[in-house]
Amino acid sequence: MEKNEQTWYSAITETAPNSIRLRGYRIDELMGHISFAQAVFLAFTGRLPSEEEGRLLDAILVSGIDHGTTPPSTLAARTVASCDVPLTSALAAGILAIGKAHGGAVEECMEVVRKTVALADDAGITLDESAERMVAEAQASGRRLPGLGHRYHTADPRALRLIELARECKFRGRHIPALQAIESAFIKAKKKSLPINVDGAIAACLCEMDFPSSAGNGFFIIARTAGLIVHILEECAREEKMRKIHPDAAVYDGPKERKLC
Amino acid sequence: MEKNEQTWYSAITETAPNSIRLRGYRIDELMGHISFAQAVFLAFTGRLPSEEEGRLLDAILVSGIDHGTTPPSTLAARTVASCDVPLTSALAAGILAIGKAHGGAVEECMEVVRKTVALADDAGITLDESAERMVAEAQASGRRLPGLGHRYHTADPRALRLIELARECKFRGRHIPALQAIESAFIKAKKKSLPINVDGAIAACLCEMDFPSSAGNGFFIIARTAGLIVHILEECAREEKMRKIHPDAAVYDGPKERKLC
Amino acid sequence: MEKNEQTWYSAITETAPNSIRLRGYRIDELMGHISFAQAVFLAFTGRLPSEEEGRLLDAILVSGIDHGTTPPSTLAARTVASCDVPLTSALAAGILAIGKAHGGAVEECMEVVRKTVALADDAGITLDESAERMVAEAQASGRRLPGLGHRYHTADPRALRLIELARECKFRGRHIPALQAIESAFIKAKKKSLPINVDGAIAACLCEMDFPSSAGNGFFIIARTAGLIVHILEECAREEKMRKIHPDAAVYDGPKERKLC
Amino acid sequence: MEKNEQTWYSAITETAPNSIRLRGYRIDELMGHISFAQAVFLAFTGRLPSEEEGRLLDAILVSGIDHGTTPPSTLAARTVASCDVPLTSALAAGILAIGKAHGGAVEECMEVVRKTVALADDAGITLDESAERMVAEAQASGRRLPGLGHRYHTADPRALRLIELARECKFRGRHIPALQAIESAFIKAKKKSLPINVDGAIAACLCEMDFPSSAGNGFFIIARTAGLIVHILEECAREEKMRKIHPDAAVYDGPKERKLC
């Protein structure tokens, strides 16, 4: 193709007749050989993940897949789905509800975690001292600290498991410790506990794997897209059109608690 | 909770303080033990996939992850992203472009494949004969057959690989043969070839795994959500705001062709 | 501009530096001289409306502006707005809820009304006879007749007023009578009343003004966009983030009933 | 209705069977008596506009109705419309492109205009002096001043006409002068001209009518919804599905320049 002022560039996927290459790899060669989470890692970063990185990203995606009928994104998606519209319309409505208040604090939390580490390095102080300064600064300027606290959970099981898994996978960077230092500094400063939430744990794990902060919000959205679609299909299959959806009146009637093995 | 006329039911995820169970399994137990694709399978069907089912669903998701700068969903997402809006706004615009004409023919193709199998069974005829009747009927009523043909590819590498992989994974049902019979019947009737595309191959594979047709369009959307997000991030990182996006003027400048091993 | 295979055409607005002409008229000349409804008429049809057409279109737009807290589009928009996202995100979610089940039956109703008139003309029968055939046909095929019935209203005040206003404005075509004939035929066939709703009255009025059916759904959407935006602003101003919105628990606390003069 | 913790309040529209009252007025009484722009004013503010306010709001809405094929919102809407999806999907995509970079600077500009007036009042200085301080401050902090400059127009005909019309309608507040003072201060500081654009003129007019800044972005969106819908209808009527839309290759083929009288 002749290059001119209209030319623009993309480094993601090269498409030609009967050939699609993601970051250089033939997509039909990737199929069957790497998992979707590994392909997502490749698409975002341009390189194949290590086994540990792939496993941790898989866990991040599993952690965000669904949260039942409580999130506003789910309620928005089901409300729109009840109007007899295409799947994509209901899904788009759900995705549009994801933002700073719900599912969209990962990028900001990655920034805070990185600043905490950088401050410790630059000032020659400990992560605990650095975290205390970050918390004090947030308090002084009235900003909420992203990655802490959850409406439902006092100990978010997804956050705890992600941090444990990062350790199992031998991620030994300073980002998870930095987030834990922030959690502790918050307790010290406010005399109340606001534990690490799933956004925070995802953020710290993504920092450990060197993702740019700008990419942070994408993973929760990919994961939750699956959950939203399942809710939309259930809404269409089980409910009447144009029904009133009472957010507190949902009762779970799926399989009882069971264990993997 | 007391049940009354406002009560509604959901069988997907049970959420309680510090506990989230997807189809009965604790999400923190799933994390690290099953892949995202396996969790998607569980979320959609209520059961854990076999190893082969998980592998085939992973391949389906990998197949749809991205198609470079050519799809209208990608161009719509990048156009909106260039306006300095949140990630979710650009992503929703991209998802809204997915429909019958682009990425959204899986459900319909599953119906056609299932009807072809059912007709063969009910009428006691071969799949080839049944497929010929389906093609003739579509022609008579002026309907396009879903799952065949692609704007870019004469032999869609993703479709070929998915069918091969289904065989490797020992799926031996009649749905993939039915789709292939439709492809052959089309050539016979029209004297031209319109090969199975990725929508068609996904549809046949989902039928082999017993997914309901209504779920069909969801998987491509989950997969492509990842690709759209990567395009949006690239647009924001590399391009000026409010630029004019010339659809034919994109040049790939990512890694050269490379092999997995 | 040199024309080539990339050239495409638009007949709506000609834009050049310091000049914007809508359907040939300078937009700065239109401003202050015609109302927004008249400009909408011009944009859709390419001609300026008569005074009566402008007045009727204004009334159509006023009729659709809002319906309080009951519609699912309003609830979806407010649910998304409660997540601290941009106005456009919440508005898009609301608009995506508009479809066949809610606000989107105008196009289909215009088709039915036009078929009823055409059948009467072609078969040399009265509108009543034609309407009876249309109702019988819809019943036989299990289709719902668009434009009749409302969840809340047994006599939709907007529909009654639109029909009255069309008469005041001297629209004397056969489309409003055709819709009324359908309403009567329905009562006769089903022994129950399903009165003309606002979608139906808008449809008949648009037919009287010769709008193409394909344009039908647009006017309600333009009108309701205003109402949705006001709800989003109220949600952001009066309510807490991430609140649970109980659809039956809204209480009106605005101005008491008052009269125009 | 019994009030409890689920109760929430809305002051916009009271709906009861066979009765819809917008801000206290029966909607069927408003229909035929006030224009859509007047109803929009009522919906936003809770009071009926004066004749001049209604005329100025009509002009604001007419000013934003369309800008041909150049805006990214139009290109996004047409790209999605070409995929054979519902009108609402394409419209939502278009609306999601409206943001700070395109059509969404009104709110911010209202804030700047109001601050300029307040600073003059508080510091006992002239609007020119206040505007110079505002421009200096924006420059120092690297912020773009909203409401000035346009990609296409060096003298935006809509902005000029709105300001003229506000004078005709006897709006004699200090907000339009404040915006003009900012325009002049910018020239003085930067030695180049960046004239008032349509966002800026709308902002100043809305300030003159005492709208809250938070409402500012809504009016352009209502207006442009009409233009986007007309583009979507034209795309579906005139173009092939899944076409490539070259942003620079559009040729206007509508009515030649003509005058209102």
Side-chain angles (χ1 to χ4, degrees):
Chain A
M1 201 175 89
E2 214 183 314
K3 291 179 193 175
N4 58 34
E5 56 173 18
Q6 299 192 342
T7 304
W8 55 286
Y9 297 90
S10 176
I12 304 166
T13 299
E14 187 169 23
T15 307
N18 305 334
S19 161
I20 307 164
R21 286 203 298 269
L22 177 67
R23 302 287 190 183
Y25 297 100
R26 278 173 42 210
I27 208 157
D28 46 322
E29 193 190 355
L30 297 176
M31 291 163 62
H33 284 109
I34 67 171
S35 72
F36 178 64
Q38 290 172 313
V40 168
F41 193 106
L42 173 63
F44 271 77
T45 64
R47 70 172 175 86
L48 288 167
S50 70
E51 201 192 308
E52 288 75 21
E53 288 168 328
R55 195 169 163 226
L56 192 56
L57 190 58
D58 250 321
I60 287 172
L61 293 176
V62 172
S63 79
I65 195 166
D66 195 47
H67 197 271
T69 56
T70 67
S73 53
T74 306
L75 293 165
R78 293 188 80 128
T79 301
V80 173
S82 90
C83 297
D84 200 10
V85 298
L87 171 58
T88 52
S89 298
L91 175 61
I95 286 172
L96 290 166
I98 298 175
K100 259 174 259 174
H102 159 43
V106 179
E107 177 177 350
E108 208 188 334
C109 186
M110 289 174 79
E111 292 293 343
V112 170
V113 165
R114 284 182 160 136
K115 271 189 205 162
T116 306
V117 173
L119 176 61
D121 290 347
D122 294 352
I125 56 179
T126 64
L127 282 178
D128 284 340
E129 290 163 336
S130 174
E132 281 167 28
R133 289 200 203 164
M134 295 295 291
V135 170
E137 203 181 283
Q139 275 194 282
S141 63
R143 272 183 292 110
R144 243 177 119 271
L145 277 165
L148 299 184
H150 195 280
R151 289 196 299 167
Y152 272 81
H153 307 296
T154 53
D156 191 323
R158 302 164 296 180
L160 298 171
R161 177 65 181 135
L162 267 184
I163 288 169
E164 177 190 67
L165 202 64
R167 202 177 305 121
E168 271 176 52
C169 290
K170 317 273 189 245
F171 290 95
R172 304 226 189 279
R174 305 181 73 204
H175 298 99
I176 292 173
L179 181 61
Q180 291 172 320
I182 292 168
E183 187 189 25
S184 301
F186 185 90
I187 295 175
K188 212 165 147 184
K190 297 277 245 184
K191 315 289 175 221
K192 73 170 180 178
S193 167
L194 205 60
I196 295 171
N197 62 27
V198 71
D199 282 12
I202 291 176
C205 288
L206 292 174
C207 287
E208 294 284 331
M209 295 189 283
D210 261 339
F211 279 90
S213 305
S214 60
N217 288 334
F219 301 98
F220 176 79
I221 296 172
I222 297 170
R224 187 54 55 90
T225 293
L228 288 170
I229 291 174
V230 177
H231 277 282
I232 293 163
L233 295 174
E234 189 188 60
E235 177 71 29
C236 294
R238 294 185 73 168
E239 304 291 344
E240 291 195 352
K241 297 276 160 276
M242 299 280 285
R243 74 173 176 115
K244 297 199 170 173
I245 301 182
H246 298 276
D248 271 346
V251 171
Y252 175 76
D253 67 349
K256 293 242 165 75
E257 178 159 14
R258 45 184 175 167
K259 291 209 151 280
L260 265 184
C261 40
Chain B
M1 200 175 88
E2 212 184 314
K3 291 178 194 176
N4 58 34
E5 57 172 18
Q6 299 191 343
T7 305
W8 54 285
Y9 297 90
S10 175
I12 304 167
T13 299
E14 187 168 23
T15 307
N18 304 334
S19 160
I20 308 163
R21 286 203 298 270
L22 177 67
R23 302 289 190 180
Y25 296 101
R26 278 174 42 210
I27 208 156
D28 47 323
E29 193 190 355
L30 297 177
M31 291 164 62
H33 284 109
I34 67 171
S35 72
F36 179 63
Q38 289 172 313
V40 168
F41 193 107
L42 173 63
F44 272 76
T45 65
R47 69 174 175 86
L48 289 167
S50 70
E51 201 193 309
E52 288 75 22
E53 288 168 329
R55 195 169 164 227
L56 191 56
L57 189 59
D58 250 322
I60 287 171
L61 293 175
V62 172
S63 78
I65 196 167
D66 195 46
H67 197 271
T69 56
T70 68
S73 53
T74 307
L75 294 165
R78 294 188 81 128
T79 300
V80 173
S82 89
C83 297
D84 200 10
V85 297
L87 171 57
T88 51
S89 298
L91 175 60
I95 285 172
L96 290 167
I98 297 176
K100 260 175 256 175
H102 160 43
V106 179
E107 176 176 351
E108 207 188 335
C109 186
M110 289 176 80
E111 291 292 344
V112 169
V113 165
R114 283 180 159 138
K115 271 189 205 162
T116 305
V117 172
L119 176 61
D121 290 347
D122 295 351
I125 56 177
T126 66
L127 282 178
D128 284 340
E129 289 163 335
S130 173
E132 281 167 27
R133 288 197 203 166
M134 296 293 292
V135 170
E137 204 182 283
Q139 276 193 280
S141 63
R143 272 182 291 109
R144 244 177 118 272
L145 278 164
L148 299 185
H150 196 280
R151 289 196 301 170
Y152 272 80
H153 307 297
T154 54
D156 190 324
R158 302 164 294 181
L160 297 170
R161 177 65 181 134
L162 267 185
I163 288 170
E164 180 189 65
L165 202 64
R167 202 177 304 122
E168 273 177 52
C169 290
K170 314 276 189 247
F171 290 95
R172 302 225 190 283
R174 303 182 75 204
H175 297 100
I176 293 173
L179 182 60
Q180 291 172 321
I182 292 169
E183 187 189 25
S184 301
F186 186 90
I187 296 176
K188 212 164 146 185
K190 298 277 244 184
K191 314 295 175 216
K192 72 169 181 179
S193 167
L194 205 60
I196 294 170
N197 61 28
V198 70
D199 282 12
I202 291 175
C205 288
L206 293 174
C207 287
E208 295 284 331
M209 294 189 284
D210 262 340
F211 278 90
S213 305
S214 60
N217 288 333
F219 301 97
F220 176 80
I221 295 172
I222 296 169
R224 188 53 56 89
T225 293
L228 288 170
I229 290 173
V230 177
H231 278 282
I232 293 163
L233 295 173
E234 190 188 60
E235 178 70 29
C236 294
R238 294 185 73 167
E239 305 290 344
E240 291 194 351
K241 296 277 161 273
M242 296 282 284
R243 74 172 175 115
K244 296 198 172 175
I245 301 182
H246 298 276
D248 272 345
V251 171
Y252 175 77
D253 68 348
K256 292 243 168 72
E257 179 161 11
R258 46 184 172 166
K259 292 207 151 283
L260 266 183
C261 43
Chain C
M1 202 177 85
E2 211 184 315
K3 290 178 194 176
N4 58 33
E5 56 173 17
Q6 299 192 343
T7 305
W8 54 286
Y9 297 90
S10 175
I12 304 167
T13 299
E14 188 169 22
T15 307
N18 305 334
S19 161
I20 306 163
R21 286 203 298 270
L22 176 68
R23 303 287 191 183
Y25 296 100
R26 277 174 42 210
I27 208 156
D28 47 321
E29 193 190 356
L30 297 176
M31 291 163 62
H33 284 110
I34 68 171
S35 72
F36 178 62
Q38 289 172 313
V40 168
F41 193 107
L42 172 64
F44 272 76
T45 64
R47 69 173 176 84
L48 289 166
S50 69
E51 200 192 310
E52 288 77 20
E53 287 169 328
R55 194 168 165 229
L56 191 56
L57 190 59
D58 251 322
I60 287 171
L61 293 175
V62 172
S63 78
I65 195 167
D66 195 46
H67 195 271
T69 57
T70 68
S73 52
T74 306
L75 294 165
R78 293 187 82 126
T79 300
V80 174
S82 89
C83 297
D84 200 10
V85 297
L87 170 58
T88 52
S89 298
L91 175 60
I95 285 172
L96 289 166
I98 298 176
K100 259 174 255 174
H102 160 42
V106 178
E107 176 177 350
E108 206 188 335
C109 187
M110 289 175 80
E111 291 292 342
V112 169
V113 164
R114 283 181 160 138
K115 270 188 206 164
T116 305
V117 172
L119 175 63
D121 290 348
D122 293 352
I125 56 178
T126 65
L127 281 179
D128 284 340
E129 289 163 336
S130 173
E132 282 167 27
R133 289 198 203 167
M134 295 294 291
V135 170
E137 203 181 283
Q139 276 192 280
S141 63
R143 273 182 291 108
R144 245 178 115 271
L145 277 164
L148 300 185
H150 196 281
R151 288 196 300 170
Y152 272 80
H153 307 296
T154 53
D156 190 324
R158 302 163 296 180
L160 298 170
R161 177 65 179 133
L162 267 185
I163 288 170
E164 178 188 69
L165 202 63
R167 201 178 302 123
E168 272 177 51
C169 290
K170 314 276 189 246
F171 289 96
R172 303 227 188 280
R174 305 181 73 204
H175 297 99
I176 292 173
L179 182 60
Q180 292 172 319
I182 292 169
E183 186 189 26
S184 301
F186 185 90
I187 296 175
K188 213 166 145 184
K190 299 277 245 183
K191 313 292 175 220
K192 73 168 181 180
S193 167
L194 206 60
I196 295 172
N197 62 27
V198 70
D199 281 12
I202 291 176
C205 288
L206 292 174
C207 287
E208 295 283 331
M209 294 190 283
D210 262 339
F211 278 91
S213 305
S214 60
N217 288 334
F219 301 98
F220 176 79
I221 295 172
I222 297 169
R224 186 54 55 91
T225 293
L228 289 170
I229 290 173
V230 177
H231 277 282
I232 294 164
L233 295 173
E234 190 187 61
E235 178 70 29
C236 295
R238 294 185 75 167
E239 305 290 344
E240 290 195 351
K241 296 280 160 270
M242 298 280 286
R243 75 172 175 115
K244 296 199 171 174
I245 301 181
H246 297 276
D248 272 346
V251 170
Y252 175 77
D253 66 348
K256 291 243 167 73
E257 179 162 13
R258 44 186 175 166
K259 293 209 149 282
L260 266 183
C261 44
Chain D
M1 202 176 85
E2 213 183 314
K3 289 176 197 177
N4 59 34
E5 57 173 18
Q6 299 192 343
T7 305
W8 54 285
Y9 297 89
S10 176
I12 304 167
T13 299
E14 186 169 23
T15 307
N18 304 333
S19 161
I20 307 163
R21 287 202 299 269
L22 177 66
R23 302 290 190 182
Y25 296 101
R26 277 174 42 210
I27 207 157
D28 47 322
E29 192 189 356
L30 297 175
M31 292 163 62
H33 284 109
I34 68 171
S35 72
F36 178 64
Q38 289 172 313
V40 168
F41 193 107
L42 172 64
F44 271 76
T45 64
R47 69 172 176 87
L48 288 167
S50 71
E51 200 191 309
E52 288 75 21
E53 288 169 327
R55 195 169 162 226
L56 192 56
L57 189 59
D58 250 322
I60 286 171
L61 292 176
V62 172
S63 78
I65 195 166
D66 195 48
H67 196 270
T69 57
T70 68
S73 53
T74 306
L75 293 165
R78 294 188 79 128
T79 300
V80 174
S82 90
C83 297
D84 199 11
V85 298
L87 171 58
T88 52
S89 299
L91 175 60
I95 286 172
L96 289 166
I98 297 175
K100 260 174 254 173
H102 160 43
V106 178
E107 177 176 350
E108 207 188 336
C109 187
M110 290 175 78
E111 291 292 344
V112 170
V113 165
R114 283 182 160 137
K115 272 188 205 161
T116 305
V117 172
L119 175 62
D121 290 349
D122 294 352
I125 57 179
T126 65
L127 281 178
D128 284 339
E129 290 163 335
S130 172
E132 281 166 28
R133 288 199 203 167
M134 294 295 289
V135 170
E137 201 182 285
Q139 276 192 282
S141 63
R143 272 182 293 108
R144 245 177 116 271
L145 277 164
L148 300 185
H150 196 280
R151 289 196 301 168
Y152 272 80
H153 307 296
T154 54
D156 191 324
R158 301 163 296 181
L160 298 170
R161 177 63 181 135
L162 268 184
I163 288 168
E164 178 189 69
L165 202 63
R167 202 177 304 119
E168 272 177 51
C169 290
K170 315 273 189 248
F171 290 95
R172 303 225 190 282
R174 304 181 73 205
H175 297 99
I176 292 173
L179 182 60
Q180 291 171 321
I182 292 168
E183 186 189 25
S184 301
F186 185 90
I187 296 175
K188 213 164 145 185
K190 298 276 246 183
K191 313 293 176 218
K192 71 169 183 179
S193 166
L194 205 61
I196 295 171
N197 62 27
V198 70
D199 281 12
I202 291 175
C205 288
L206 292 174
C207 288
E208 295 284 331
M209 294 189 283
D210 261 339
F211 279 90
S213 304
S214 61
N217 288 333
F219 301 99
F220 175 80
I221 296 172
I222 297 169
R224 186 54 54 89
T225 293
L228 288 171
I229 290 174
V230 176
H231 277 282
I232 293 163
L233 295 174
E234 190 187 59
E235 178 70 28
C236 295
R238 294 185 73 168
E239 304 291 344
E240 291 195 350
K241 297 278 160 274
M242 298 279 286
R243 74 173 177 114
K244 296 196 172 174
I245 301 182
H246 298 277
D248 272 347
V251 171
Y252 175 75
D253 68 347
K256 292 241 167 76
E257 178 161 14
R258 46 186 174 167
K259 291 206 151 284
L260 266 183
C261 43

